[in-house]
Amino acid sequence: MNAHAIFADFIQRPIDAAHRLPELTGEQLNAHPENHPNSIAWLLWHTGREIDVQLSHLYGKPEVWESFRERFDLGELGDSVGYGHTTVQARKIQVSDRQLLVDYVEACLRALADYINVLTETDLDEVIDTSWETPVTRGVRLVSIVDDATQHIGQAAYVAGAVTAAS
């Protein structure tokens, strides 16, 4: 396998996991079990945003969000990424359409795959961030983006199990 094939497989995994999330009501998507600030809707929205913003920065192309913003109807807060959200801000991310959330995450991951497909092995080795003790290469950043997405979708799946079991 080459790097492109590995990334293609790696990126498909969170897409598949997002599609396997159970059907959830708006109430379940926006629930805050144990009063946690992040709901399933917030986790999925944030997953898309963190991929989208970082990819736009790397690729120099507009965010996928541009074609989703109006459908989400989250106002200015929806343009953020979620890092540093207060509890009040996180609770304002209210989305009752599971498929919209999954579609956005998938569109961002597909855009990431498209970007990776134009990169060479040399591009993956390029240092793009020297602010860390060990400088970050493009390949390491891409792995980090997909890893974050996988973790957040796993969190959403865990919470989905909790809210559907409580029903």
Side-chain angles (χ1 to χ4, degrees), residues 12-162:
Q12 189 60 45
R13 306 229 174 177
I15 291 170
D16 292 345
H19 281 282
R20 283 192 303 271
L21 290 169
E23 290 299 325
L24 299 163
T25 65
E27 184 178 328
Q28 290 169 323
L29 282 166
N30 293 293
H32 297 271
E34 299 298 318
N35 208 28
H36 194 280
N38 301 338
S39 65
I40 296 167
W42 186 93
L43 285 164
L44 294 174
W45 163 83
H46 169 70
T47 300
R49 295 300 296 138
E50 67 93 9
I51 298 164
D52 205 359
V53 169
Q54 291 182 81
L55 177 59
S56 179
H57 177 74
L58 288 170
Y59 207 6
K61 290 193 173 187
E63 294 176 15
V64 173
W65 182 247
E66 298 298 321
S67 63
F68 280 85
R69 178 184 284 119
E70 286 184 29
R71 291 167 52 199
F72 272 86
D73 193 29
L74 295 172
E76 222 173 89
L77 189 60
D79 294 340
S80 68
V81 176
Y83 296 124
H85 268 183
T86 65
T87 298
V88 170
Q89 289 171 317
R91 287 176 179 268
K92 285 184 180 178
I93 299 295
Q94 296 277 315
V95 183
S96 294
D97 184 343
R98 174 197 163 278
Q99 194 58 53
L100 174 62
L101 289 157
V102 171
D103 288 349
Y104 178 53
V105 168
E106 181 173 5
C108 291
L109 286 164
R110 297 265 182 239
L112 183 66
D114 291 345
Y115 170 65
I116 291 169
N117 282 333
V118 303
L119 299 176
T120 65
E121 299 282 333
T122 303
D123 294 330
L124 293 172
D125 289 334
E126 179 187 358
V127 172
I128 60 166
D129 187 349
T130 59
S131 66
W132 297 88
E133 185 173 318
T134 303
V136 177
T137 64
R138 185 177 314 277
V140 167
R141 176 64 45 83
L142 295 169
V143 167
S144 176
I145 291 169
V146 179
D147 181 55
D148 282 353
T150 301
Q151 288 186 51
H152 289 315
I153 292 169
Q155 291 168 334
Y158 178 81
V159 177

